[in-house]
Amino acid sequence: MTQPPDLIITEGKLITFDESQPRAEALAIRDGRILTVGSRVEITELAGRETRLFDAQGATVLPGFIDSHVHLFCGSVEMGYLDVHGLKGEDQLAQAARAWVAGHPNETICFAVQADYDMFGDQGGNNRHALDRVMPDRPFAMFAADHHTIWANTLALEMAGILHGGPVDAGAMIVMGQDGKATGELREFSAYAHVLKLTRHGGRDLLGLTTGADPVPAASPAERAQDKAAIARGMQHCARNGITGLHNMDGNFYQLELLSEMEAGGTLLCRAEVPFHFKSFDPLDRFEEAEEMRRRFNGEHVWCNRVKMFMDGVIDSHTALMIEPYPGTDHLGDAVFEPEHFNAACIRADAMGLQIATHAIGDLAVRRTLDGYEAARDANGVRDSRHRIEHLEVTHPDDLPRLKELGVVASVQPGHAPFGHYFTHPVSLENLHDHQIGHSFAWRDIRAAGATMAFSTDWPVMPVKVMDNIRSAIAPRKDLGWRDQTQTLMETLESYTAVNAWLEFNEDRKGKLAAGMLADVVVMTHDLESLAPEEIHKASAALTLCGGRSTWEA
């Protein structure tokens, strides 16, 4: 006798992304996989006495969302820090900071996240003197929302040992004042790494990003438990947003070990891919670590099959690498890699069969990244590599056709755009030439050029809230002087589900609602197709399943 399903979801409006059956009303799940998809009548007939029936109440049912660009450990940890998103001026910041300190009296540093580059406006800008006035009696630092700059007060700089400067990697800067002391502005990872060591997690959450290496000395059992507890809270937050899979954008053995321990302990609520992070100062023989990562971690829930690199920084701090100097300057930005070393790294990674993901925001950074991928193809031959470029915020029109020609995936974050509703001050307009603006955040142009587009959030640069990001794509603001880059709902949903499953080479197991696929499923609270685009963010996840297991239920 055929074993009945464990769970049946019925009364839904299924968007399957399965060409053979794009729409359906119900599905059945057994042993962590989708048993069958079909009409309400034929699926409910399969129910047994122990089968759970879940009524979707006419709402959309989709493959689980996969956020293909997150910093999981960092995002999870930052849920416990001071969130200053939207705050303006010293008075607002001081009030929030003092309240946070009162609730966290034992913290070494008051650490804030989501700070605006223009937080202090005409009060003199973000610097240690402003932060000294905000909090004169204890170390205080705040992360820019894009995570490429930290501003620290004098006590934090002293405690970190960089008040008088210090060595940094290529593309980074401890900005120095005329008095010979740091101004408090720390651009890029190596400049602010010492400040991160003052946080409650000792900066372990960003070691995969700043160095790619494991904690030294090794984390104690108590620290490991603390870090896993933070990640567990972050995973719960992701599941609550309908997410069943994550592509981490930083990595080390430590993160992979923590996630594997969580999987063994039953607290891993989302599948997670973690990359090998190759830095500009690394010799090529460090790729031996990438091979070890891939060998040791290759399961369905935790795995490594990718290398992550950075080509530049961000526009707002003038560290994104541009073809033309920034307006009113002779500065092109900061190259993290020299082209020769980057090309050699691409050739080595590609020859190993690793997927490559490269952060490239400026138009010259995008061009050099494409050059590196082309060098790998020339050296190793054409293969189904699915190499990625992360962000592509400014892309020269001459380079758009190269995305399709080289089979490169555009991995973008709709909510990062100035018209994406999240960032309140569109500073980027001031930092781009008029003729560049039309080719910035050009999601429609990228699609028109035939490139595959994957959508994500870059959490914690912006919240991991899927529906807010979908609103950024399908109902962008149109009052800020940018070209209309509106995406359709179906394009956006596919770029958040089926495309991201394909991007991780798992299109035969995920990203569709079809018989035999892993039961990674989200049931929404609304029929998404019936909502006005500007109202889409009112929908949320009613039920999230990862491998048939309920990880969130409203």
Side-chain angles (χ1 to χ4, degrees):
M1 182 176 179
T2 303
Q3 186 177 0
D6 303 316
L7 171 67
I8 286 176
I9 298 172
T10 187
E11 309 295 345
K13 294 187 177 178
L14 276 63
I15 300 175
T16 70
F17 296 110
D18 176 11
E19 292 181 358
S20 66
Q21 188 181 20
R23 301 284 178 153
E25 297 175 323
L27 61 83
I29 294 169
R30 186 173 65 213
D31 297 332
R33 291 186 177 268
I34 296 174
L35 180 65
T36 188
V37 176
S39 71
R40 176 184 59 82
V41 173
E42 63 184 336
I43 299 299
T44 53
E45 286 179 349
L46 301 175
R49 283 190 295 177
E50 302 298 322
T51 300
R52 181 190 177 191
L53 297 177
F54 186 90
D55 185 349
Q57 301 181 34
T60 299
V61 182
L62 292 159
F65 294 114
I66 300 173
D67 196 320
S68 58
H69 186 128
V70 300
H71 301 273
L72 169 63
F73 194 2
C74 177
S76 300
V77 162
E78 289 188 13
M79 292 175 68
Y81 294 148
L82 171 62
D83 187 341
V84 298
H85 175 67
L87 297 187
K88 292 290 185 182
E90 293 178 15
D91 291 344
Q92 287 188 13
L93 182 59
Q95 183 177 357
R98 289 167 189 158
W100 190 89
V101 167
H104 302 81
N106 298 321
E107 297 283 345
T108 300
I109 185 172
C110 177
F111 194 74
V113 296
Q114 293 296 317
D116 193 321
Y117 278 87
D118 193 43
M119 175 174 281
F120 298 128
D122 58 8
Q123 290 180 298
N126 300 3
N127 55 54
R128 68 180 171 92
H129 303 295
L131 297 186
D132 286 346
R133 291 189 292 271
V134 167
M135 184 159 289
D137 56 346
R138 65 185 302 159
F140 177 55
M142 58 185 193
F143 234 147
D146 60 28
H147 288 63
H148 286 260
T149 300
I150 277 180
W151 298 278
N153 73 354
T154 301
L155 289 175
L157 293 167
E158 286 178 337
M159 187 172 286
I162 56 173
L163 180 59
H164 299 282
V168 297
D169 300 335
M173 179 185 294
I174 299 173
V175 179
M176 302 301 294
Q178 293 182 349
D179 60 358
K181 297 179 180 179
T183 67
E185 182 174 344
L186 310 170
R187 300 179 185 172
E188 302 299 333
F189 311 126
S190 63
Y192 58 62
H194 292 289
V195 171
L196 288 177
K197 291 179 182 179
L198 305 177
T199 69
R200 72 173 70 136
H201 290 267
R204 294 186 300 276
D205 55 306
L206 275 172
L207 283 177
L209 190 63
T210 56
T211 68
D214 297 327
V216 177
S220 67
E223 289 171 333
R224 293 179 79 95
Q226 178 190 35
D227 293 347
K228 284 189 287 187
I231 295 173
R233 289 191 295 272
M235 286 270 187
Q236 290 168 355
H237 182 57
C238 290
R240 185 173 186 140
N241 282 278
I243 293 170
T244 57
L246 301 164
H247 298 176
N248 216 26
M249 283 293 138
D250 59 87
N252 50 19
F253 285 101
Y254 181 64
Q255 287 187 36
L256 284 158
E257 289 168 0
L258 294 181
L259 293 169
S260 296
E261 291 169 12
M262 291 174 65
E263 180 185 6
T267 59
L268 191 74
L269 303 185
C270 307
R271 306 179 196 274
E273 188 217 23
V274 177
F276 165 72
H277 195 147
F278 188 77
K279 306 291 289 185
S280 61
F281 50 76
D282 287 333
L284 292 180
D285 59 13
R286 189 165 174 253
F287 275 103
E288 294 174 6
E289 292 181 38
E291 185 58 50
E292 184 182 356
M293 274 190 180
R294 181 167 55 179
R295 178 184 59 79
R296 285 178 54 188
F297 302 98
N298 55 16
E300 282 192 345
H301 286 83
V302 180
W303 74 100
C304 172
N305 191 44
R306 179 167 49 88
V307 58
K308 171 71 186 300
M309 293 185 281
F310 273 82
M311 183 57 76
D312 67 345
V314 293
I315 295 169
D316 291 339
S317 64
H318 287 195
T319 53
L321 189 60
M322 298 295 196
I323 294 172
E324 300 177 58
Y326 286 90
T329 79
D330 59 0
H331 182 58
L332 294 173
D334 299 311
V336 176
F337 271 86
E338 292 303 318
E340 295 78 10
H341 190 43
F342 179 76
N343 291 0
C346 289
I347 292 169
R348 176 68 65 89
D350 183 74
M352 295 171 64
L354 290 167
Q355 185 185 36
I356 306 171
T358 304
H359 167 116
I361 282 181
D363 48 12
L364 183 55
V366 171
R367 178 169 292 177
R368 287 186 179 179
T369 302
L370 290 168
D371 290 345
Y373 294 170
E374 187 171 13
R377 174 175 285 199
D378 291 344
N380 302 322
V382 177
R383 71 178 182 90
D384 184 14
S385 61
R386 305 183 195 181
H387 296 325
R388 316 165 45 156
I389 301 182
E390 310 300 316
H391 310 306
L392 301 97
E393 291 188 0
V394 186
T395 306
H396 193 282
D398 290 350
D399 291 316
L400 283 176
R402 300 179 67 198
L403 293 166
K404 182 179 180 181
E405 291 166 4
L406 295 170
V408 175
V409 179
S411 171
V412 301
Q413 300 73 40
H416 284 200
F419 44 80
H421 298 279
Y422 183 69
F423 295 106
T424 57
H425 182 69
V427 176
S428 299
L429 270 172
E430 304 165 7
N431 297 318
L432 297 173
H433 297 282
D434 289 345
H435 63 273
Q436 290 175 315
I437 292 171
H439 306 298
S440 302
F441 307 97
W443 314 148
R444 284 254 59 92
D445 294 349
I446 292 172
R447 282 198 191 274
T452 300
M453 290 187 69
F455 282 169
S456 57
T457 60
D458 199 7
W459 184 50
V461 170
M462 64 174 287
V464 76
K465 296 179 179 179
V466 172
M467 301 315 296
D468 286 358
N469 202 31
I470 287 178
R471 179 178 65 153
S472 298
I474 70 173
R477 292 182 62 180
K478 298 178 181 178
D479 60 342
L480 298 174
W482 298 83
R483 287 176 55 213
D484 183 11
Q485 299 294 337
T486 303
Q487 308 285 294
T488 71
L489 177 62
M490 292 304 295
E491 285 173 338
T492 302
L493 294 176
E494 186 174 26
S495 287
Y496 236 129
T497 56
V499 169
N500 283 341
W502 171 87
L503 184 55
E504 64 183 50
F505 296 88
N506 272 322
E507 66 271 23
D508 60 339
R509 300 193 299 166
K510 302 184 209 172
K512 298 177 184 177
L513 302 181
M517 304 293 280
L518 293 170
D520 292 0
V521 181
V522 59
V523 181
M524 304 303 297
T525 56
H526 294 68
D527 173 6
L528 300 183
E529 293 173 284
S530 70
L531 288 173
E534 60 272 13
E535 302 292 320
I536 199 76
H537 63 296
K538 292 183 178 180
S540 60
L543 175 69
T544 306
L545 304 171
C546 185
R549 171 192 178 192
S550 176
T551 56
W552 161 253
E553 188 167 344

